[in-house]
Structures are given as C-alpha cells and as structure tokens.
Amino acid sequence: MSQPRNGTPGDLEEIHWPSLVAAVCSISAVGIAIGLGLPLLSIILEKRGVSSTLIGLNTAMAGVAAMVAAPITTKLAHSYGVAQTMLWAVVVSALSGVSFYYAQDFWMWFPLRFAFHGATTTLFILSEFWINAAAPPSKRGFVLGIYSTVLSVGFAAGPLLFSVLGSDGVLPFVVAAVAILMAAVPIFIARNESPVLEEKPELHFMRYVFLVPSATAAVFIFGAVEAGGLALFPIYAVRAAFTETQAALLLTVMGVGNMIFQIPLGMLSDKMNDKRPLLAAMAFMGLIGSLMLPVLSHSWFLMAFVLLFWGGCVAGLYTVGLSHLGSRLTGSDLAAANAAFVFCYAVGTVAGPQVIGAAIDVAGNNGFAWAIAGFFGVYALLSAGRLLFIRKRG
C-alpha cells in the first residue's frame, strides 16, 4: 500500500498543463450542467404539479447515486483506464441529462437522476485524482485552488444560463448536454497523459474513509454545511427579516468568498508540510462565523462581510482537504481515497439538510446557526484533539 509521503527532490516541480486543463475543463463543464440542471428540473416538476416532498425525494437521488458510484469508480478506472472511464461517464451524463426532457412519467426521473449523478460523480472522482496525481507536490494546493475556483465559476454560470434560457422547450437540456460533451475534447486530447492505475487498491473501500480522517471528515462537514446552508439559508434570512432579494445577495456574497479565497488558501497550504493545522483553523473560523449569525441578523452589511470570509473558509475545507489527501497517498491508494473523499462529501450533502432543518424546527430560526456551529465544532474538536495526540506521540 502507498504510504504517506511528502514531495521528494525527484518529483516534477513544473505544472503539467495538458493534464490540468483536461481535468479542470471536464469538471467545470459538469459544474455548468449541474448548476443549470438542478433549478431547471425542480421548476419543471413544479409546473407538472409534483409535490415538494416528491421533488425533494427525487433530488435526493443525487446523493444516493454518488454514494453508490464512489466505491466502484476506482475499479472501473483500473479495468478500463482513467481517461476512457471519464469519456464514458461524459457520454452517460449527457444522454441521461437530455433524456429528462423526453421522460414524461415522473417515475422515469429516478433512474435518470441515478444515471446522471452517478456518471458525474465518476467525473468528479477521476478529475480530482488526475489533478492530485499530476500536480507537483510544492504546487498542489495552488493547482487545487485553481480547480476549486473554476468549479465554483461553473456552478455559478449554470443558474445564470437558466435565467437566460428558461425552462420551456428542449433548448436548456441541449445546452446542458453540449456543455458536458465539450468536456470530452480536452480529456481525449490528454488521454495519454492520464494517470495509470497499475495495481488494485489493497484495502476495502470503507477503510480509505478512515485512512486520512482529517481530509474525509473535513469534506463531510463541507458537504453538510454547503448543502444544508444553501438549501435553508434563504428561509433563515427571510425569517430574520431580510427580503428575498437580500437573502439571494447574501448567498451570492458567500459564493464570491468561495471563489476568491481558494487559490490563496491553496498556496498557503503549499507552504505547510502538514495541512491539518490549517484545516483545524478553518473549522474554528467556521464555528465562530456561524455563532455570529444571530448577532448580525440586524445588519445586512455586517452579515455580508462575515459571510464573505465564512464562505471562503467553508469551501477551503474541500480544497485543503483534497491537497492533504494528495500529500499523503499515491497511485491506486490515492484514487481509492479520492473516491472515499467524494463518498463522504455525498453523505454530508444528505445529512446536512436533514440535521439543519430539524434544528430549525426544534430550536426556532436560530437553530440554523446552532446546527452549523455544531458541525464545525465537532470537526474543530476532533482535529485539535488529533493534532495534540500526534504531537504527544511524536
């Protein structure tokens, strides 16, 4: 099994741009398609008279598909190659995406959601593995910061396209499918540069969840806070006496913080041999920021100021966690751990909205902030305790 390691003098220190462009372009195209598709599908189901409960159930298939796809992605890449598996995933996601338009029976949307999000999960896992494997150790955080920033732009561009295209006709589905298919071009061009998995992972998939716990726990918290926060923050903000427009703008500010802080955080992580103190620091900042939300609810500008930095810290858990993963493992173990990383993110996206929603029901509107603080607090305590244990043992 590949052991934890840091960069060695023999490691290439130059960024290999064809590999980076292929991986980043593939996932940014998927980000655009998902950002366009999620509101599009929800609006169409609403127009068809489908209840909110059933719409939520159908949307939850995304998390289920991700949890199912994650353990088998590495096996597929080992058998068929990273680039070829990614190309097939592009085709499956594009075909299933455009098929929603032609599927008139609601039950058909469940297997389509499963196919679409299962394929996009495969693209996420293998793109991140490709970037982690190709990035020079001294610049891995910087490269992953670029990846996270471009992905954020892709997610932001999707809703913008939706506002232009609307939900009528086949055009938005075609645009989403074309965006995904465009990802095949850089992947095909750089197919000979994709990493090769010569050996199968030595551990059972679930063992990789606990092999690098600082990374997998960080991405679980990120998934929970991101999914729960995005879904329920508008409700929290409106109940706190902000208008719907002000609530939407606060989410935009949080997204801006997400985009502008990823490269600086990645570069900062490159200067650290051990990324865990940075992960712990971001968790503590996330904890403090979430506890401040009820205090700041009287001022939109103060709320926006805090959310700008808070959004960067939340997203930084993903970027730095992924960099930590790449600094510890190589080869097939890195690919399997990357799959476990995305699996934990998917579990977080399912758990977060449930916990935060229940907290609002039990504790009132401020339950939103308390639940998010709880997520950050648990990780902050675990990461701090782990650092103390490692230092005492060392």
Side-chain angles (χ1 to χ4, degrees):
M1 184 183 70
S2 301
Q3 299 297 319
R5 48 85 175 160
N6 292 315
T8 63
D11 289 316
L12 293 175
E13 293 300 315
E14 293 299 321
I15 298 173
H16 199 256
W17 289 105
S19 293
L20 176 62
V21 169
V24 169
C25 285
S26 67
I27 209 59
S28 61
V30 171
I32 292 172
I34 294 176
L36 168 60
L38 288 179
L40 172 66
L41 297 179
S42 295
I43 289 295
I44 290 175
L45 290 177
E46 175 74 18
K47 286 181 177 179
R48 293 183 182 179
V50 177
S51 70
S52 298
T53 300
L54 287 176
I55 293 174
L57 182 63
N58 185 248
T59 304
M61 287 299 295
V64 175
M67 287 186 277
V68 172
I72 65 174
T73 292
T74 307
K75 296 178 182 178
L76 291 173
H78 178 268
S79 299
Y80 303 106
V82 171
Q84 188 170 343
T85 302
M86 290 177 71
L87 289 171
W88 276 111
V90 165
V91 173
V92 171
S93 56
L95 288 177
S96 57
V98 79
S99 295
F100 282 103
Y101 176 75
Y102 299 99
Q104 296 301 312
D105 294 329
F106 177 59
W107 68 266
M108 298 175 67
W109 284 43
F110 285 89
L112 286 176
R113 286 266 195 186
F114 189 87
F116 178 78
H117 287 284
T120 54
T121 296
T122 296
L123 286 170
F124 270 108
I125 292 170
L126 295 182
S127 293
E128 291 174 356
F129 165 60
W130 194 341
I131 292 172
N132 242 331
S138 65
K139 298 176 182 176
R140 178 175 286 110
F142 170 67
V143 169
L144 291 171
I146 294 175
Y147 163 79
S148 297
T149 302
V150 173
L151 179 59
S152 298
V153 172
F155 276 120
L160 180 62
L161 276 173
F162 174 67
S163 68
V164 174
L165 298 171
S167 61
D168 296 328
V170 73
L171 181 60
F173 295 92
V174 171
V175 170
V178 169
I180 296 173
L181 289 172
M182 287 177 63
V185 176
I187 296 172
F188 182 78
I189 292 174
R191 65 191 184 280
N192 293 328
E193 307 291 337
S194 66
V196 177
L197 297 178
E198 296 179 349
E199 300 177 355
K200 290 185 178 180
E202 296 183 9
L203 301 177
H204 185 274
F205 173 79
M206 290 305 298
R207 291 285 299 278
Y208 286 96
V209 172
F210 302 100
L211 188 61
V212 190
S214 295
T216 52
V219 79
F220 168 80
I221 298 299
F222 168 73
V225 172
E226 181 198 43
L230 289 177
L232 297 170
F233 181 80
I235 297 173
Y236 169 78
V238 169
R239 289 184 181 179
F242 293 114
T243 66
E244 289 185 4
T245 301
Q246 288 175 322
L249 287 174
L250 287 172
L251 279 177
T252 302
V253 170
M254 196 166 12
V256 171
N258 182 336
M259 288 188 283
I260 65 177
F261 282 105
Q262 296 321 296
I263 292 177
L265 283 171
M267 294 175 70
L268 177 60
S269 74
D270 285 335
K271 300 181 182 298
M272 306 174 70
N273 290 328
D274 189 348
K275 312 328 188 205
R276 287 171 293 195
L278 181 56
L279 287 168
M282 287 188 295
F284 276 107
M285 291 182 68
L287 171 62
I288 294 169
S290 54
L291 290 175
M292 289 177 66
L293 292 180
V295 181
L296 302 173
S297 59
H298 67 283
S299 171
W300 186 91
F301 289 101
L302 287 176
M303 181 81 81
F305 180 77
V306 170
L307 287 178
L308 180 71
F309 293 93
W310 192 73
C313 284
V314 172
L317 288 174
Y318 194 97
T319 302
V320 179
L322 197 58
S323 178
H324 178 60
L325 203 69
S327 71
R328 305 291 292 174
L329 299 167
T330 58
S332 59
D333 286 317
L334 176 57
N338 231 127
F341 189 81
V342 174
F343 175 85
C344 290
Y345 169 76
V347 174
T349 62
V350 174
Q354 305 301 316
V355 172
I356 297 171
I360 294 174
D361 289 338
V362 171
N365 200 37
N366 286 337
F368 175 85
W370 308 145
I372 291 178
F375 278 116
F376 279 120
V378 168
Y379 182 74
L381 289 174
L382 288 175
S383 57
R386 183 171 172 79
L387 285 172
L388 288 173
F389 173 77
I390 291 171
R391 287 177 181 175
K392 285 183 179 180
R393 191 178 63 178

mmCIF file with all atom_site columns, all heavy atoms in Angstrom, residues 365-388:
data_model
loop_
_atom_site.group_PDB
_atom_site.id
_atom_site.type_symbol
_atom_site.label_atom_id
_atom_site.label_alt_id
_atom_site.label_comp_id
_atom_site.label_asym_id
_atom_site.label_entity_id
_atom_site.label_seq_id
_atom_site.pdbx_PDB_ins_code
_atom_site.Cartn_x
_atom_site.Cartn_y
_atom_site.Cartn_z
_atom_site.occupancy
_atom_site.B_iso_or_equiv
_atom_site.pdbx_formal_charge
_atom_site.auth_seq_id
_atom_site.auth_comp_id
_atom_site.auth_asym_id
_atom_site.auth_atom_id
_atom_site.pdbx_PDB_model_num
ATOM 1   N N   . ASN A 1 365 ? -35.655 29.738 14.502 1.00 0.00 ? 365 ASN A N   1
ATOM 2   C CA  . ASN A 1 365 ? -34.834 30.184 13.378 1.00 0.00 ? 365 ASN A CA  1
ATOM 3   C C   . ASN A 1 365 ? -33.342 30.110 13.666 1.00 0.00 ? 365 ASN A C   1
ATOM 4   O O   . ASN A 1 365 ? -32.542 29.778 12.794 1.00 0.00 ? 365 ASN A O   1
ATOM 5   C CB  . ASN A 1 365 ? -35.214 31.623 12.992 1.00 0.00 ? 365 ASN A CB  1
ATOM 6   C CG  . ASN A 1 365 ? -34.780 31.968 11.572 1.00 0.00 ? 365 ASN A CG  1
ATOM 7   O OD1 . ASN A 1 365 ? -34.843 31.118 10.682 1.00 0.00 ? 365 ASN A OD1 1
ATOM 8   N ND2 . ASN A 1 365 ? -34.334 33.187 11.358 1.00 0.00 ? 365 ASN A ND2 1
ATOM 9   N N   . ASN A 1 366 ? -32.937 30.414 14.918 1.00 0.00 ? 366 ASN A N   1
ATOM 10  C CA  . ASN A 1 366 ? -31.513 30.363 15.248 1.00 0.00 ? 366 ASN A CA  1
ATOM 11  C C   . ASN A 1 366 ? -30.964 28.944 15.281 1.00 0.00 ? 366 ASN A C   1
ATOM 12  O O   . ASN A 1 366 ? -29.749 28.745 15.355 1.00 0.00 ? 366 ASN A O   1
ATOM 13  C CB  . ASN A 1 366 ? -31.257 31.044 16.588 1.00 0.00 ? 366 ASN A CB  1
ATOM 14  C CG  . ASN A 1 366 ? -31.337 32.551 16.488 1.00 0.00 ? 366 ASN A CG  1
ATOM 15  O OD1 . ASN A 1 366 ? -31.157 33.122 15.406 1.00 0.00 ? 366 ASN A OD1 1
ATOM 16  N ND2 . ASN A 1 366 ? -31.629 33.216 17.597 1.00 0.00 ? 366 ASN A ND2 1
ATOM 17  N N   . GLY A 1 367 ? -31.846 27.948 15.220 1.00 0.00 ? 367 GLY A N   1
ATOM 18  C CA  . GLY A 1 367 ? -31.382 26.578 15.109 1.00 0.00 ? 367 GLY A CA  1
ATOM 19  C C   . GLY A 1 367 ? -30.524 26.363 13.877 1.00 0.00 ? 367 GLY A C   1
ATOM 20  O O   . GLY A 1 367 ? -29.658 25.475 13.855 1.00 0.00 ? 367 GLY A O   1
ATOM 21  N N   . PHE A 1 368 ? -30.749 27.185 12.833 1.00 0.00 ? 368 PHE A N   1
ATOM 22  C CA  . PHE A 1 368 ? -29.916 27.138 11.629 1.00 0.00 ? 368 PHE A CA  1
ATOM 23  C C   . PHE A 1 368 ? -28.454 27.363 11.991 1.00 0.00 ? 368 PHE A C   1
ATOM 24  O O   . PHE A 1 368 ? -27.571 26.574 11.622 1.00 0.00 ? 368 PHE A O   1
ATOM 25  C CB  . PHE A 1 368 ? -30.397 28.203 10.641 1.00 0.00 ? 368 PHE A CB  1
ATOM 26  C CG  . PHE A 1 368 ? -29.551 28.343 9.407  1.00 0.00 ? 368 PHE A CG  1
ATOM 27  C CD1 . PHE A 1 368 ? -29.745 27.523 8.310  1.00 0.00 ? 368 PHE A CD1 1
ATOM 28  C CD2 . PHE A 1 368 ? -28.558 29.320 9.344  1.00 0.00 ? 368 PHE A CD2 1
ATOM 29  C CE1 . PHE A 1 368 ? -28.964 27.653 7.174  1.00 0.00 ? 368 PHE A CE1 1
ATOM 30  C CE2 . PHE A 1 368 ? -27.769 29.458 8.207  1.00 0.00 ? 368 PHE A CE2 1
ATOM 31  C CZ  . PHE A 1 368 ? -27.977 28.630 7.120  1.00 0.00 ? 368 PHE A CZ  1
ATOM 32  N N   . ALA A 1 369 ? -28.194 28.447 12.734 1.00 0.00 ? 369 ALA A N   1
ATOM 33  C CA  . ALA A 1 369 ? -26.818 28.777 13.111 1.00 0.00 ? 369 ALA A CA  1
ATOM 34  C C   . ALA A 1 369 ? -26.248 27.765 14.098 1.00 0.00 ? 369 ALA A C   1
ATOM 35  O O   . ALA A 1 369 ? -25.083 27.366 13.995 1.00 0.00 ? 369 ALA A O   1
ATOM 36  C CB  . ALA A 1 369 ? -26.757 30.176 13.704 1.00 0.00 ? 369 ALA A CB  1
ATOM 37  N N   . TRP A 1 370 ? -27.080 27.324 15.073 1.00 0.00 ? 370 TRP A N   1
ATOM 38  C CA  . TRP A 1 370 ? -26.580 26.382 16.071 1.00 0.00 ? 370 TRP A CA  1
ATOM 39  C C   . TRP A 1 370 ? -26.188 25.042 15.427 1.00 0.00 ? 370 TRP A C   1
ATOM 40  O O   . TRP A 1 370 ? -25.177 24.433 15.815 1.00 0.00 ? 370 TRP A O   1
ATOM 41  C CB  . TRP A 1 370 ? -27.635 26.122 17.148 1.00 0.00 ? 370 TRP A CB  1
ATOM 42  C CG  . TRP A 1 370 ? -28.230 27.336 17.817 1.00 0.00 ? 370 TRP A CG  1
ATOM 43  C CD1 . TRP A 1 370 ? -29.510 27.471 18.238 1.00 0.00 ? 370 TRP A CD1 1
ATOM 44  C CD2 . TRP A 1 370 ? -27.585 28.576 18.148 1.00 0.00 ? 370 TRP A CD2 1
ATOM 45  N NE1 . TRP A 1 370 ? -29.717 28.712 18.804 1.00 0.00 ? 370 TRP A NE1 1
ATOM 46  C CE2 . TRP A 1 370 ? -28.548 29.411 18.761 1.00 0.00 ? 370 TRP A CE2 1
ATOM 47  C CE3 . TRP A 1 370 ? -26.296 29.073 17.972 1.00 0.00 ? 370 TRP A CE3 1
ATOM 48  C CZ2 . TRP A 1 370 ? -28.274 30.697 19.201 1.00 0.00 ? 370 TRP A CZ2 1
ATOM 49  C CZ3 . TRP A 1 370 ? -26.012 30.359 18.406 1.00 0.00 ? 370 TRP A CZ3 1
ATOM 50  C CH2 . TRP A 1 370 ? -26.978 31.161 19.015 1.00 0.00 ? 370 TRP A CH2 1
ATOM 51  N N   . ALA A 1 371 ? -26.981 24.577 14.459 1.00 0.00 ? 371 ALA A N   1
ATOM 52  C CA  . ALA A 1 371 ? -26.679 23.291 13.814 1.00 0.00 ? 371 ALA A CA  1
ATOM 53  C C   . ALA A 1 371 ? -25.377 23.374 13.018 1.00 0.00 ? 371 ALA A C   1
ATOM 54  O O   . ALA A 1 371 ? -24.534 22.468 13.089 1.00 0.00 ? 371 ALA A O   1
ATOM 55  C CB  . ALA A 1 371 ? -27.827 22.884 12.898 1.00 0.00 ? 371 ALA A CB  1
ATOM 56  N N   . ILE A 1 372 ? -25.206 24.462 12.264 1.00 0.00 ? 372 ILE A N   1
ATOM 57  C CA  . ILE A 1 372 ? -23.967 24.626 11.501 1.00 0.00 ? 372 ILE A CA  1
ATOM 58  C C   . ILE A 1 372 ? -22.781 24.746 12.445 1.00 0.00 ? 372 ILE A C   1
ATOM 59  O O   . ILE A 1 372 ? -21.703 24.164 12.211 1.00 0.00 ? 372 ILE A O   1
ATOM 60  C CB  . ILE A 1 372 ? -24.074 25.850 10.573 1.00 0.00 ? 372 ILE A CB  1
ATOM 61  C CG1 . ILE A 1 372 ? -25.093 25.571 9.465  1.00 0.00 ? 372 ILE A CG1 1
ATOM 62  C CG2 . ILE A 1 372 ? -22.714 26.198 9.971  1.00 0.00 ? 372 ILE A CG2 1
ATOM 63  C CD1 . ILE A 1 372 ? -25.313 26.724 8.518  1.00 0.00 ? 372 ILE A CD1 1
ATOM 64  N N   . ALA A 1 373 ? -22.954 25.500 13.547 1.00 0.00 ? 373 ALA A N   1
ATOM 65  C CA  . ALA A 1 373 ? -21.889 25.598 14.545 1.00 0.00 ? 373 ALA A CA  1
ATOM 66  C C   . ALA A 1 373 ? -21.558 24.230 15.125 1.00 0.00 ? 373 ALA A C   1
ATOM 67  O O   . ALA A 1 373 ? -20.393 23.922 15.405 1.00 0.00 ? 373 ALA A O   1
ATOM 68  C CB  . ALA A 1 373 ? -22.312 26.557 15.654 1.00 0.00 ? 373 ALA A CB  1
ATOM 69  N N   . GLY A 1 374 ? -22.591 23.394 15.294 1.00 0.00 ? 374 GLY A N   1
ATOM 70  C CA  . GLY A 1 374 ? -22.362 22.050 15.797 1.00 0.00 ? 374 GLY A CA  1
ATOM 71  C C   . GLY A 1 374 ? -21.486 21.227 14.863 1.00 0.00 ? 374 GLY A C   1
ATOM 72  O O   . GLY A 1 374 ? -20.560 20.534 15.309 1.00 0.00 ? 374 GLY A O   1
ATOM 73  N N   . PHE A 1 375 ? -21.751 21.306 13.560 1.00 0.00 ? 375 PHE A N   1
ATOM 74  C CA  . PHE A 1 375 ? -20.922 20.587 12.584 1.00 0.00 ? 375 PHE A CA  1
ATOM 75  C C   . PHE A 1 375 ? -19.467 21.047 12.675 1.00 0.00 ? 375 PHE A C   1
ATOM 76  O O   . PHE A 1 375 ? -18.536 20.236 12.765 1.00 0.00 ? 375 PHE A O   1
ATOM 77  C CB  . PHE A 1 375 ? -21.448 20.813 11.166 1.00 0.00 ? 375 PHE A CB  1
ATOM 78  C CG  . PHE A 1 375 ? -22.597 19.925 10.784 1.00 0.00 ? 375 PHE A CG  1
ATOM 79  C CD1 . PHE A 1 375 ? -23.850 20.459 10.509 1.00 0.00 ? 375 PHE A CD1 1
ATOM 80  C CD2 . PHE A 1 375 ? -22.440 18.557 10.687 1.00 0.00 ? 375 PHE A CD2 1
ATOM 81  C CE1 . PHE A 1 375 ? -24.916 19.648 10.151 1.00 0.00 ? 375 PHE A CE1 1
ATOM 82  C CE2 . PHE A 1 375 ? -23.497 17.726 10.332 1.00 0.00 ? 375 PHE A CE2 1
ATOM 83  C CZ  . PHE A 1 375 ? -24.746 18.279 10.069 1.00 0.00 ? 375 PHE A CZ  1
ATOM 84  N N   . PHE A 1 376 ? -19.271 22.374 12.633 1.00 0.00 ? 376 PHE A N   1
ATOM 85  C CA  . PHE A 1 376 ? -17.907 22.897 12.700 1.00 0.00 ? 376 PHE A CA  1
ATOM 86  C C   . PHE A 1 376 ? -17.252 22.568 14.038 1.00 0.00 ? 376 PHE A C   1
ATOM 87  O O   . PHE A 1 376 ? -16.057 22.257 14.093 1.00 0.00 ? 376 PHE A O   1
ATOM 88  C CB  . PHE A 1 376 ? -17.912 24.418 12.497 1.00 0.00 ? 376 PHE A CB  1
ATOM 89  C CG  . PHE A 1 376 ? -17.991 24.841 11.064 1.00 0.00 ? 376 PHE A CG  1
ATOM 90  C CD1 . PHE A 1 376 ? -19.047 25.614 10.617 1.00 0.00 ? 376 PHE A CD1 1
ATOM 91  C CD2 . PHE A 1 376 ? -17.013 24.491 10.152 1.00 0.00 ? 376 PHE A CD2 1
ATOM 92  C CE1 . PHE A 1 376 ? -19.132 26.020 9.293  1.00 0.00 ? 376 PHE A CE1 1
ATOM 93  C CE2 . PHE A 1 376 ? -17.077 24.879 8.826  1.00 0.00 ? 376 PHE A CE2 1
ATOM 94  C CZ  . PHE A 1 376 ? -18.148 25.650 8.402  1.00 0.00 ? 376 PHE A CZ  1
ATOM 95  N N   . GLY A 1 377 ? -18.030 22.661 15.119 1.00 0.00 ? 377 GLY A N   1
ATOM 96  C CA  . GLY A 1 377 ? -17.471 22.403 16.437 1.00 0.00 ? 377 GLY A CA  1
ATOM 97  C C   . GLY A 1 377 ? -16.966 20.988 16.589 1.00 0.00 ? 377 GLY A C   1
ATOM 98  O O   . GLY A 1 377 ? -15.890 20.758 17.167 1.00 0.00 ? 377 GLY A O   1
ATOM 99  N N   . VAL A 1 378 ? -17.735 20.038 16.090 1.00 0.00 ? 378 VAL A N   1
ATOM 100 C CA  . VAL A 1 378 ? -17.311 18.631 16.173 1.00 0.00 ? 378 VAL A CA  1
ATOM 101 C C   . VAL A 1 378 ? -15.993 18.425 15.436 1.00 0.00 ? 378 VAL A C   1
ATOM 102 O O   . VAL A 1 378 ? -15.054 17.801 15.960 1.00 0.00 ? 378 VAL A O   1
ATOM 103 C CB  . VAL A 1 378 ? -18.405 17.699 15.603 1.00 0.00 ? 378 VAL A CB  1
ATOM 104 C CG1 . VAL A 1 378 ? -17.859 16.287 15.422 1.00 0.00 ? 378 VAL A CG1 1
ATOM 105 C CG2 . VAL A 1 378 ? -19.610 17.674 16.524 1.00 0.00 ? 378 VAL A CG2 1
ATOM 106 N N   . TYR A 1 379 ? -15.894 18.980 14.211 1.00 0.00 ? 379 TYR A N   1
ATOM 107 C CA  . TYR A 1 379 ? -14.650 18.804 13.455 1.00 0.00 ? 379 TYR A CA  1
ATOM 108 C C   . TYR A 1 379 ? -13.489 19.549 14.109 1.00 0.00 ? 379 TYR A C   1
ATOM 109 O O   . TYR A 1 379 ? -12.364 19.029 14.150 1.00 0.00 ? 379 TYR A O   1
ATOM 110 C CB  . TYR A 1 379 ? -14.819 19.284 12.008 1.00 0.00 ? 379 TYR A CB  1
ATOM 111 C CG  . TYR A 1 379 ? -13.560 19.062 11.192 1.00 0.00 ? 379 TYR A CG  1
ATOM 112 C CD1 . TYR A 1 379 ? -13.206 17.790 10.775 1.00 0.00 ? 379 TYR A CD1 1
ATOM 113 C CD2 . TYR A 1 379 ? -12.714 20.122 10.873 1.00 0.00 ? 379 TYR A CD2 1
ATOM 114 C CE1 . TYR A 1 379 ? -12.041 17.568 10.055 1.00 0.00 ? 379 TYR A CE1 1
ATOM 115 C CE2 . TYR A 1 379 ? -11.554 19.919 10.154 1.00 0.00 ? 379 TYR A CE2 1
ATOM 116 C CZ  . TYR A 1 379 ? -11.207 18.638 9.748  1.00 0.00 ? 379 TYR A CZ  1
ATOM 117 O OH  . TYR A 1 379 ? -10.052 18.427 9.045  1.00 0.00 ? 379 TYR A OH  1
ATOM 118 N N   . ALA A 1 380 ? -13.756 20.759 14.617 1.00 0.00 ? 380 ALA A N   1
ATOM 119 C CA  . ALA A 1 380 ? -12.694 21.527 15.264 1.00 0.00 ? 380 ALA A CA  1
ATOM 120 C C   . ALA A 1 380 ? -12.135 20.765 16.470 1.00 0.00 ? 380 ALA A C   1
ATOM 121 O O   . ALA A 1 380 ? -10.911 20.694 16.667 1.00 0.00 ? 380 ALA A O   1
ATOM 122 C CB  . ALA A 1 380 ? -13.225 22.890 15.697 1.00 0.00 ? 380 ALA A CB  1
ATOM 123 N N   . LEU A 1 381 ? -13.009 20.183 17.279 1.00 0.00 ? 381 LEU A N   1
ATOM 124 C CA  . LEU A 1 381 ? -12.559 19.427 18.446 1.00 0.00 ? 381 LEU A CA  1
ATOM 125 C C   . LEU A 1 381 ? -11.808 18.162 18.038 1.00 0.00 ? 381 LEU A C   1
ATOM 126 O O   . LEU A 1 381 ? -10.761 17.837 18.615 1.00 0.00 ? 381 LEU A O   1
ATOM 127 C CB  . LEU A 1 381 ? -13.762 19.069 19.322 1.00 0.00 ? 381 LEU A CB  1
ATOM 128 C CG  . LEU A 1 381 ? -14.418 20.231 20.079 1.00 0.00 ? 381 LEU A CG  1
ATOM 129 C CD1 . LEU A 1 381 ? -15.671 19.753 20.792 1.00 0.00 ? 381 LEU A CD1 1
ATOM 130 C CD2 . LEU A 1 381 ? -13.442 20.846 21.073 1.00 0.00 ? 381 LEU A CD2 1
ATOM 131 N N   . LEU A 1 382 ? -12.350 17.444 17.054 1.00 0.00 ? 382 LEU A N   1
ATOM 132 C CA  . LEU A 1 382 ? -11.687 16.227 16.598 1.00 0.00 ? 382 LEU A CA  1
ATOM 133 C C   . LEU A 1 382 ? -10.306 16.521 16.012 1.00 0.00 ? 382 LEU A C   1
ATOM 134 O O   . LEU A 1 382 ? -9.330  15.813 16.299 1.00 0.00 ? 382 LEU A O   1
ATOM 135 C CB  . LEU A 1 382 ? -12.559 15.519 15.558 1.00 0.00 ? 382 LEU A CB  1
ATOM 136 C CG  . LEU A 1 382 ? -13.829 14.827 16.083 1.00 0.00 ? 382 LEU A CG  1
ATOM 137 C CD1 . LEU A 1 382 ? -14.643 14.270 14.919 1.00 0.00 ? 382 LEU A CD1 1
ATOM 138 C CD2 . LEU A 1 382 ? -13.469 13.709 17.059 1.00 0.00 ? 382 LEU A CD2 1
ATOM 139 N N   . SER A 1 383 ? -10.220 17.556 15.178 1.00 0.00 ? 383 SER A N   1
ATOM 140 C CA  . SER A 1 383 ? -8.946  17.873 14.537 1.00 0.00 ? 383 SER A CA  1
ATOM 141 C C   . SER A 1 383 ? -7.929  18.380 15.554 1.00 0.00 ? 383 SER A C   1
ATOM 142 O O   . SER A 1 383 ? -6.745  18.012 15.505 1.00 0.00 ? 383 SER A O   1
ATOM 143 C CB  . SER A 1 383 ? -9.143  18.902 13.415 1.00 0.00 ? 383 SER A CB  1
ATOM 144 O OG  . SER A 1 383 ? -9.748  20.080 13.920 1.00 0.00 ? 383 SER A OG  1
ATOM 145 N N   . ALA A 1 384 ? -8.389  19.211 16.521 1.00 0.00 ? 384 ALA A N   1
ATOM 146 C CA  . ALA A 1 384 ? -7.472  19.692 17.552 1.00 0.00 ? 384 ALA A CA  1
ATOM 147 C C   . ALA A 1 384 ? -6.992  18.546 18.435 1.00 0.00 ? 384 ALA A C   1
ATOM 148 O O   . ALA A 1 384 ? -5.803  18.456 18.768 1.00 0.00 ? 384 ALA A O   1
ATOM 149 C CB  . ALA A 1 384 ? -8.164  20.763 18.394 1.00 0.00 ? 384 ALA A CB  1
ATOM 150 N N   . GLY A 1 385 ? -7.929  17.659 18.809 1.00 0.00 ? 385 GLY A N   1
ATOM 151 C CA  . GLY A 1 385 ? -7.547  16.507 19.613 1.00 0.00 ? 385 GLY A CA  1
ATOM 152 C C   . GLY A 1 385 ? -6.570  15.595 18.892 1.00 0.00 ? 385 GLY A C   1
ATOM 153 O O   . GLY A 1 385 ? -5.615  15.086 19.496 1.00 0.00 ? 385 GLY A O   1
ATOM 154 N N   . ARG A 1 386 ? -6.792  15.409 17.584 1.00 0.00 ? 386 ARG A N   1
ATOM 155 C CA  . ARG A 1 386 ? -5.902  14.554 16.799 1.00 0.00 ? 386 ARG A CA  1
ATOM 156 C C   . ARG A 1 386 ? -4.501  15.164 16.704 1.00 0.00 ? 386 ARG A C   1
ATOM 157 O O   . ARG A 1 386 ? -3.500  14.460 16.807 1.00 0.00 ? 386 ARG A O   1
ATOM 158 C CB  . ARG A 1 386 ? -6.491  14.342 15.405 1.00 0.00 ? 386 ARG A CB  1
ATOM 159 C CG  . ARG A 1 386 ? -5.677  13.402 14.524 1.00 0.00 ? 386 ARG A CG  1
ATOM 160 C CD  . ARG A 1 386 ? -6.418  13.058 13.251 1.00 0.00 ? 386 ARG A CD  1
ATOM 161 N NE  . ARG A 1 386 ? -5.576  12.327 12.333 1.00 0.00 ? 386 ARG A NE  1
ATOM 162 C CZ  . ARG A 1 386 ? -5.300  11.033 12.434 1.00 0.00 ? 386 ARG A CZ  1
ATOM 163 N NH1 . ARG A 1 386 ? -5.798  10.348 13.444 1.00 0.00 ? 386 ARG A NH1 1
ATOM 164 N NH2 . ARG A 1 386 ? -4.524  10.424 11.550 1.00 0.00 ? 386 ARG A NH2 1
ATOM 165 N N   . LEU A 1 387 ? -4.421  16.486 16.536 1.00 0.00 ? 387 LEU A N   1
ATOM 166 C CA  . LEU A 1 387 ? -3.126  17.157 16.460 1.00 0.00 ? 387 LEU A CA  1
ATOM 167 C C   . LEU A 1 387 ? -2.368  17.022 17.783 1.00 0.00 ? 387 LEU A C   1
ATOM 168 O O   . LEU A 1 387 ? -1.160  16.760 17.788 1.00 0.00 ? 387 LEU A O   1
ATOM 169 C CB  . LEU A 1 387 ? -3.317  18.628 16.117 1.00 0.00 ? 387 LEU A CB  1
ATOM 170 C CG  . LEU A 1 387 ? -3.673  18.940 14.648 1.00 0.00 ? 387 LEU A CG  1
ATOM 171 C CD1 . LEU A 1 387 ? -4.028  20.416 14.492 1.00 0.00 ? 387 LEU A CD1 1
ATOM 172 C CD2 . LEU A 1 387 ? -2.497  18.580 13.725 1.00 0.00 ? 387 LEU A CD2 1
ATOM 173 N N   . LEU A 1 388 ? -3.071  17.182 18.895 1.00 0.00 ? 388 LEU A N   1
ATOM 174 C CA  . LEU A 1 388 ? -2.438  17.038 20.196 1.00 0.00 ? 388 LEU A CA  1
ATOM 175 C C   . LEU A 1 388 ? -1.931  15.613 20.407 1.00 0.00 ? 388 LEU A C   1
ATOM 176 O O   . LEU A 1 388 ? -0.829  15.390 20.911 1.00 0.00 ? 388 LEU A O   1
ATOM 177 C CB  . LEU A 1 388 ? -3.423  17.407 21.306 1.00 0.00 ? 388 LEU A CB  1
ATOM 178 C CG  . LEU A 1 388 ? -3.750  18.901 21.438 1.00 0.00 ? 388 LEU A CG  1
ATOM 179 C CD1 . LEU A 1 388 ? -4.856  19.104 22.466 1.00 0.00 ? 388 LEU A CD1 1
ATOM 180 C CD2 . LEU A 1 388 ? -2.496  19.694 21.835 1.00 0.00 ? 388 LEU A CD2 1
#
